[in-house]
Amino acid sequence: MTGHPHGVWIWNLPVLGSNYLNRLIQSKVKRVYLKVFDAKSKPMFWAKNPSFGGDQCTLEIIKQFKDQGIQVYGWGYHYGTPDITAQVGAVKQALDCGLDGYILDLEVEVEAASTHNDVKKLLQALRPLVPAGTLGYTSFGHPGFHPDIPWKILDDICDLAFPQIYFEKFGFGKTNEDEVQDCLKAHTDKGLTKPILPIWGSEPDSKNPASASELQSYLNRFPGSSIYRLPEFRDGNLERSQAWNLIYSDQPLVNTGGSEAKDFELPPLTRVLRQGTKGEDVEALQKILKVLGFNVGDVDGDFGTDTENAVRAFQTKAGITIDGEVYTLTWKELGGRFDDQSVIISPEKPRIKLANFAENEANKELQWTSASSEAEKYLEIFRVPMQRLKHIGTAKVFYDWCGAFVYYCCRESEIDVPIQPDGFWATMALVESWQYWAKKKGFWFPNGSITPNRGDIVIFDWASTRGAYNHIGIVRGYTPGNTTFLTSEGNKSNRSGNFVRNLSDVEGFIRITI
């Protein structure tokens, strides 16, 4: 297996339920992180779980995982104590069960400078025992908030970093996306160089738990990331967690089944597939959905109601926008591929066309650094009109371009929006202009008056500027009942991208009906 697949963390194996292995297979998990050690447990090595008494790490258990194509990395909690020989001996017992790698959990106990030399000695002793390239550490998600952790020692000796980016528990006062980006930037600012495989939290004690769709979006965006942790049965009840409601495989292995099973490859996507479309690409879609266990009715190349329902069920399972239509994101989740230039979008749904274009455009994550940047194509549209209004000079300097990004996407999607609304003092580069224009056209809907749909334009504020409502984007998707929604935006910290936003920050939506 190449690269680092998505994974899920296991704390107490005996209380997951007897069918945990089948559920891992169904969720397409290709790596588990199994607790095998705790320096304060007696014994340290969790051959039998000291808390629950059941088998935790044995040759037989590791083999059961591997027989299903699931890698097993062991992990253990270390305290920076000087009993190096005992710790190494216990970890070696775990490794001898056939582990593929080992992760040290080092947190508040190693902030004391007196522990740092012992941490270094432990890592140096484990280094030759752990398979090459698989020694990792996990600690706090934001190094800037915990400067006394021996980050340099960890980075020098370990191969991989697993920061605990539990945004559902954070209280930075920002959006989840901003908090995630802050954590990643803090690693760079600290000079840390090892590959980062973030851990996203889904834990029973979270006051503001993340939805399955939000966690799925982060898994999809960050290869090799993982979820802490699988829920356990306590007093006969399963803990609250979204870990079982996610798909962990980037490219699901699909075969046509039967005695002559073989790998099945989707053809490149060239158009939007929706109810009423027919062809070989629809037949391929039906085949792969059927293999994945979804009821498509007849595999006949005709996209009917059964196929649409199957697509919706798959989208629900994948945690992506649920619209019953197959475009690039759904095709990618199914394991297919596409060329941005060859996908033909049917024009009968202009807002869907807008959302599809914006999602692909935002995926480029463009940044404006000078007039030669590709992102200049957004700003260039308004330079002359803004010069005429004396809002900017002739020099091609930076200006806030979130509105320009939305305008560009509308223009490229053949949606007619004016450069400057009649009777208003500014161009559509200004967010206020969009709201003025939308109200005049009857396109404006205050937050709470409609359910957000893919292709709506949204006006909202940054968490740090409550009530300003000076940012604009395009809705990628929303699952009714969620507190968050998905967007495509320009100029988020001078970069375009696809993000997750809080519904509470929204002033209203623009739903273009022309």
Side-chain angles (χ1 to χ4, degrees):
M1 186 179 300
T2 60
H4 293 281
H6 298 312
V8 66
W9 294 67
I10 298 173
W11 186 21
N12 294 301
L13 185 65
V15 292
L16 293 185
S18 59
N19 66 337
Y20 69 83
L21 194 57
N22 287 333
R23 296 194 71 179
L24 289 170
I25 296 168
Q26 291 170 2
S27 296
K28 303 188 183 300
V29 174
K30 293 301 180 183
R31 180 184 290 175
V32 296
Y33 298 91
L34 177 67
K35 187 167 186 181
V36 299
F37 172 94
D38 194 296
K40 287 189 176 179
S41 296
K42 302 296 182 183
M44 293 179 180
F45 169 45
W46 283 26
K48 287 187 179 294
N49 188 311
S51 300
F52 292 88
D55 288 336
Q56 180 87 2
C57 179
T58 65
L59 284 165
E60 293 74 21
I61 285 175
I62 303 306
K63 184 176 184 300
Q64 287 177 357
F65 284 114
K66 291 193 170 187
D67 284 348
Q68 300 300 329
I70 300 173
Q71 295 180 350
V72 185
Y73 276 45
W75 69 276
Y77 201 99
H78 296 261
Y79 298 84
T81 51
D83 52 345
I84 307 300
T85 301
Q87 293 182 66
V88 171
V91 173
K92 185 177 185 304
Q93 284 182 274
L95 291 166
D96 287 344
C97 292
L99 297 176
D100 296 293
Y102 186 72
I103 313 300
L104 297 92
D105 191 350
L106 296 155
E107 301 184 30
V108 64
E109 293 84 4
V110 302
E111 290 185 312
S114 60
T115 67
H116 292 184
N117 192 46
D118 290 324
V119 170
K120 183 175 182 179
K121 288 179 180 179
L122 175 62
L123 291 172
Q124 290 173 333
L126 290 176
R127 173 72 281 172
L129 302 179
V130 179
T134 68
L135 179 63
Y137 71 90
T138 180
S139 193
F140 299 105
H142 196 302
F145 293 163
H146 299 273
D148 296 327
I149 294 289
W151 299 107
K152 185 67 166 60
I153 293 173
L154 298 175
D155 191 66
D156 285 345
I157 302 176
C158 293
D159 305 305
L160 304 167
F162 295 80
Q164 298 166 19
I165 306 181
Y166 302 158
F167 55 79
E168 63 176 4
K169 286 188 169 183
F170 289 167
F172 297 2
K174 299 184 178 182
T175 65
N176 290 341
E177 176 66 23
D178 287 338
E179 290 175 350
V180 168
Q181 296 301 327
D182 282 354
C183 288
L184 298 174
K185 183 176 184 297
H187 280 74
T188 302
D189 292 344
K190 198 76 176 177
L192 305 178
T193 61
K194 295 304 164 66
I196 293 176
L197 307 180
I199 308 174
W200 320 113
S202 185
E203 298 183 75
D205 58 344
S206 300
K207 293 182 179 179
N208 299 296
S211 66
S213 61
E214 183 171 17
L215 290 168
Q216 187 72 58
S217 72
Y218 280 104
L219 281 179
N220 295 346
R221 288 172 51 199
F222 291 87
S225 59
S226 55
I227 300 293
Y228 187 87
R229 58 184 165 80
L230 285 181
E232 302 164 2
F233 283 94
R234 299 296 180 95
D235 299 323
N237 297 312
L238 187 64
E239 293 176 320
R240 179 187 55 74
S241 170
Q242 295 292 348
W244 283 126
N245 299 325
L246 307 172
I247 293 178
Y248 293 85
S249 177
D250 287 328
Q251 299 293 333
L253 179 63
V254 178
N255 61 65
T256 55
S259 59
E260 299 181 358
K262 60 182 180 179
D263 289 347
F264 178 74
E265 184 174 349
L266 285 167
L269 182 70
T270 60
R271 58 176 177 163
V272 179
L273 305 181
R274 57 168 65 98
Q275 188 158 179
T277 54
K278 300 179 181 180
E280 293 181 358
D281 48 1
V282 175
E283 183 178 351
L285 168 69
Q286 292 170 329
K287 285 180 179 179
I288 196 170
L289 287 170
K290 185 173 182 178
V291 169
L292 291 172
F294 298 95
N295 178 21
V296 297
D298 295 331
V299 179
D300 55 7
D302 188 348
F303 197 126
T305 301
D306 288 339
T307 302
E308 179 176 330
N309 289 338
V311 169
R312 289 181 180 275
F314 172 78
Q315 290 169 332
T316 301
K317 178 70 174 175
I320 58 178
T321 302
I322 304 168
D323 58 11
E325 299 184 353
V326 178
Y327 189 55
T328 52
L329 181 57
T330 302
W331 202 248
K332 179 181 177 181
E333 291 295 322
L334 288 165
R337 65 189 191 282
F338 53 89
D339 181 346
D340 288 346
Q341 303 303 316
S342 66
V343 179
I344 302 172
I345 304 170
S346 178
E348 64 263 24
K349 292 189 176 181
R351 282 187 287 112
I352 297 300
K353 183 176 182 179
L354 171 62
N356 293 341
F357 179 87
E359 186 171 342
N360 287 333
E361 187 67 25
N363 269 333
K364 298 176 182 178
E365 296 186 345
L366 300 183
Q367 183 178 19
W368 192 94
T369 56
S370 70
S372 61
S373 305
E374 185 180 349
E376 170 63 17
K377 65 186 180 183
Y378 310 130
L379 288 75
E380 179 67 23
I381 297 171
F382 291 99
R383 291 203 181 279
V384 171
M386 290 170 69
Q387 288 168 16
R388 289 172 179 164
L389 293 169
K390 302 187 184 304
H391 293 166
I392 60 173
T394 57
K396 291 189 174 182
V397 296
F398 176 89
Y399 67 81
D400 290 334
W401 50 278
C402 60
F405 173 85
V406 174
Y407 184 91
Y408 176 87
C409 292
C410 287
R411 187 187 71 178
E412 295 301 305
S413 303
E414 299 180 337
I415 293 176
D416 187 21
V417 178
I419 286 280
Q420 180 180 0
D422 289 340
F424 199 67
W425 59 273
T427 70
M428 295 294 262
L430 184 70
V431 174
E432 292 175 54
S433 300
W434 285 90
Q435 189 171 8
Y436 174 87
W437 172 75
K439 287 181 176 179
K440 285 191 66 176
K441 297 288 291 185
F443 297 158
W444 176 253
F445 297 88
N447 190 11
S449 64
I450 60 170
T451 299
N453 285 343
R454 183 170 170 84
D456 288 342
I457 296 170
V458 56
I459 292 178
F460 54 105
D461 67 1
W462 307 99
S464 59
T465 57
R466 295 282 182 193
Y469 302 118
N470 53 7
H471 194 53
I472 191 169
I474 297 167
V475 176
R476 280 189 296 133
Y478 171 68
T479 301
N482 280 4
T483 60
T484 59
F485 63 102
L486 308 178
T487 64
S488 299
E489 304 170 27
N491 193 36
K492 180 184 179 296
S493 301
N494 188 25
R495 189 180 295 276
S496 63
N498 291 310
F499 306 109
V500 179
R501 292 296 190 180
N502 292 322
L503 197 58
S504 60
D505 294 329
V506 171
E507 182 177 19
F509 298 91
I510 299 172
R511 180 167 293 173
I512 298 175
T513 56
I514 54 178

